[in-house]
Amino acid sequence: MVSGVHTGPEVSLGRRRAAVAATFAVQGLLFISLTTRLPRFQERWHLSELAVSGLLLMVVLLAGAGSVLAEVGARRHGSATLLRAALVVAGIGLAVVAVAPARAVFVAGLAAYGLALGAIDAATNMQAVALEHRYGRTILPTFHGAWTSGGIVATLVAIAVSGIGITAGLLPLAVLAPLVALTAPLLPRSADVEPARGSAVAPRIPWRQLMLLGAAMVLFYMVDTAATTWGPVFLRSAHDAPTWLLPLATLPYLVASGLTRLAGDAAVDRWGAVPILRAGALVAAAALAVIVFSPSWPVAVAGFTVLGASVAVIAPLSFSAAAAVAGDGVDEADRRARVDAVIARFNQFNYVGGLLGAVLTGAVGSGSLRVGFAVPMVLVLAIIPLAGAFRSVRG
């Protein structure tokens, strides 16, 4: 857009960009509000680390199912409508988690939240890649930066209300998502960015080309979920940090991630995606080594901080590259249908990474989370050879 010139279509596109960023922020707020309270839920329901891993596995599997359903829902009703409905379900699920009087009710709330999480993940990225195509340059890192900003707010709130009960601290945040979805016109339909709907024929998916990109996203979510899910537990179990400090494993990680993502658009334009990803993988492995061998909680927190800065742009660049591959060589109508389907299915790699990060880290680290964090420390180095698959990302 030209600075100082505000035509109708440009203003509409700018409003859509702000609206999509808002939904990413709400999603991050809800997710981190839940994960930062895992140690407290673990105490409330007397859960072992293996039991927590089982619950996380349930959430991951249901999120995968929600992402699959999102493809069908977006084709029939549009990704904007799908996103509004998923936000409502997520808020209700999180509210049930907060007020649950029994363990079974707690698990049911987690299940509802997990299913909605997958639909939100897919729908927000459908909206984001459609906008990126209209802009003609990489903008997904800033959308994912909005997610991180929501997570930072959630972490600060968790620290501020650590002295009150889980219900009082979490319930107001759970109510936020349905309120946003129902009372604010977050995603007004616009013909120039709304993905195509109503196609009776399932688009052909170029999976052979997408597998390398998917592997990179698996590795990112393995690291990211390990940090955001098990970081607070690690500070408690490995360093006996006081309860009010536990969110410090997540907060610096998110702040560093957010800053990197907000700078990611310009960084890709200047240096390109490939060298950024390769350097980030080396730094991430070193940061995880600092966490694994940390002698005290401040050193572990420093490791989480560097880790957040090193890997933050992998996920948004993965979605950008996947959309570019999906839309290559087809006309505009077919491109929209195929990209929509690809994003919904490509999002499954998110949950494979979540499985490795949340479940495998907890299971391997059931005796010591230092051992659990050694898993992503080694595997993240596979980003180095995979980075070449990102040459299609536009600066």
Side-chain angles (χ1 to χ4, degrees):
M1 290 186 287
V2 179
S3 177
V5 179
H6 299 287
T7 65
E10 289 176 349
V11 173
S12 175
L13 202 60
R15 285 199 300 266
R16 174 58 67 89
R17 184 173 182 176
V20 174
T23 61
F24 271 95
V26 170
Q27 181 193 13
L29 177 72
L30 297 185
F31 182 76
I32 300 301
S33 294
L34 179 62
T35 58
T36 52
R37 289 168 173 82
L38 271 181
R40 300 185 70 180
F41 283 122
Q42 191 175 7
E43 292 176 359
R44 171 186 276 190
W45 301 114
H46 308 291
L47 301 171
S48 67
E49 289 177 358
L50 196 59
V52 173
S53 295
L55 289 174
L56 292 172
L57 174 61
M58 177 194 72
V59 171
V60 167
L61 293 176
L62 286 170
S67 186
V68 171
L69 292 173
E71 180 187 350
V72 178
R75 192 184 306 137
R76 292 180 178 177
H77 306 291
S79 56
T81 300
L82 170 68
L83 184 50
R84 288 191 186 98
L87 282 169
V88 172
V89 175
I92 293 171
L94 206 59
V96 171
V97 167
V99 302
R103 186 183 296 181
V105 179
F106 169 74
V107 173
L110 274 182
Y113 173 77
L115 191 65
L117 174 65
I120 294 171
D121 277 342
T124 51
N125 282 291
M126 287 176 193
Q127 292 274 317
V129 298
L131 274 171
E132 186 171 75
H133 178 70
R134 291 289 298 165
Y135 274 84
R137 57 186 173 84
T138 300
I139 61 172
L140 255 75
T142 52
F143 283 130
H144 285 242
W147 187 102
T148 307
S149 299
I152 291 170
V153 172
T155 307
L156 291 172
V157 170
I159 294 173
V161 302
S162 61
I164 66 176
I166 298 177
T167 299
L170 189 57
L171 190 56
L173 299 178
V175 173
L176 177 63
L179 287 177
V180 167
L182 291 172
T183 64
L186 278 178
L187 298 169
R189 287 206 171 100
S190 176
D192 62 342
V193 294
E194 181 68 32
R197 292 179 281 141
S199 174
V201 180
R204 182 180 62 84
I205 307 299
W207 280 115
R208 184 170 296 180
Q209 297 168 274
L210 291 169
M211 290 304 293
L212 293 178
L213 298 172
M217 195 160 79
V218 166
L219 292 169
F220 165 72
Y221 279 106
M222 171 193 64
V223 172
D224 182 71
T225 310
T228 56
T229 301
W230 291 108
V233 181
F234 178 86
L235 291 188
R236 186 188 63 186
S237 64
H239 298 298
D240 198 26
T243 299
W244 71 273
L245 279 176
L246 297 183
L248 279 181
T250 303
L251 180 59
Y253 174 87
L254 290 174
V255 170
S257 295
L259 292 174
T260 299
R261 285 173 168 175
L262 292 175
D265 298 355
V268 171
D269 186 41
R270 181 170 181 179
W271 291 296
V274 175
I276 290 174
L277 294 176
R278 286 175 175 162
L282 289 171
V283 176
L288 282 159
V290 169
I291 295 167
V292 169
F293 299 107
S294 57
S296 62
W297 69 260
V299 175
V301 168
F304 282 115
T305 305
V306 175
L307 181 64
S310 63
V311 297
V313 296
I314 297 174
L317 294 183
S318 296
F319 280 108
S320 291
V325 169
D328 187 38
V330 295
D331 62 34
E332 183 62 19
D334 288 341
R335 188 204 68 82
R336 289 182 180 181
R338 194 156 93 170
V339 168
D340 229 23
V342 163
I343 293 304
R345 301 184 197 183
F346 186 75
N347 194 51
Q348 299 299 312
F349 291 112
N350 173 347
Y351 305 115
V352 177
L355 179 67
L356 291 173
V359 179
L360 186 60
T361 299
V364 173
S366 59
S368 170
L369 276 176
R370 292 182 187 272
V371 178
F373 273 99
V375 174
M377 178 184 74
V378 175
L379 294 181
V380 73
L381 291 171
I383 290 289
I384 295 173
L386 291 171
F390 288 77
R391 298 188 192 281
S392 62
V393 175
R394 294 172 293 182

